[in-house]
Amino acid sequence: MTFKQMWASSSWNDYTWVLPAVLIAGMAILVLFNSIQRAFLRRIMKIICALVFMVVAVQASFMGINEKWRIRHEWWRQHNDSLTERERSALVADGANLTLGPLILGGGRALLLFSITALVLHFVVKRKTH
């Protein structure tokens, strides 16, 4: 396997599907909560759902990013002597991805998506009741 092949294949790994699944599940549950008749309970449940799924999204994002860098590190250990300086640098240069990536890519994306979904659902309910 070449460096380019490893780089591409590590970006889509065994855990990459988890984040989209969490986001879709969170949105689906937000939609289901729309059937709750009492407005106060509906809003509280949506807030709790969004917060819980945001935390789960951070964890899911961490799993995918961590696996990506684990694969790259394993490949680096096996091929270190044949790497160019540019390839070697690429394999160690992105430490922020491990720490900030899950918060930004997982939590930030989830917060944005769930907020937009909740806002759209709010207007749907408001329009339906008037």
Side-chain angles (χ1 to χ4, degrees):
M1 176 184 302
T2 67
F3 180 83
K4 277 185 157 184
Q5 290 170 327
M6 176 279 303
W7 194 266
S9 69
S10 68
S11 293
W12 184 263
N13 58 61
D14 292 342
Y15 297 108
T16 307
W17 65 271
V18 178
L19 179 60
V22 167
L23 297 176
I24 291 169
M27 287 178 27
I29 291 172
L30 284 173
V31 170
L32 288 175
F33 284 158
N34 237 27
S35 64
I36 297 173
Q37 296 299 314
R38 296 180 63 196
F40 177 75
L41 182 61
R42 182 176 58 245
R43 289 180 188 129
I44 292 297
M45 294 302 290
K46 284 182 180 181
I47 290 169
I48 291 170
C49 174
L51 292 174
V52 167
F53 273 90
M54 188 176 70
V55 171
V56 175
V58 170
Q59 180 61 32
S61 181
F62 172 77
M63 289 171 26
I65 291 171
N66 194 47
E67 179 67 5
K68 171 178 69 175
W69 286 102
R70 187 198 65 75
I71 291 167
R72 291 175 181 180
H73 180 73
E74 288 295 318
W75 193 88
W76 169 77
R77 287 182 46 202
Q78 295 173 3
H79 300 89
N80 187 27
D81 54 337
S82 64
L83 294 174
T84 66
E85 192 57 40
R86 184 173 179 218
E87 292 169 339
R88 197 173 280 117
S89 168
L91 287 169
V92 296
D94 203 9
N97 192 347
L98 287 169
T99 54
L100 297 177
L103 292 173
I104 296 169
L105 298 176
R109 187 180 304 170
L111 179 63
L112 180 66
L113 189 62
F114 297 152
S115 297
I116 291 170
T117 302
L119 190 62
V120 168
L121 291 171
H122 171 74
F123 286 118
V124 166
V125 168
K126 193 171 187 170
R127 188 172 176 130
K128 194 167 113 177
T129 58
H130 288 329

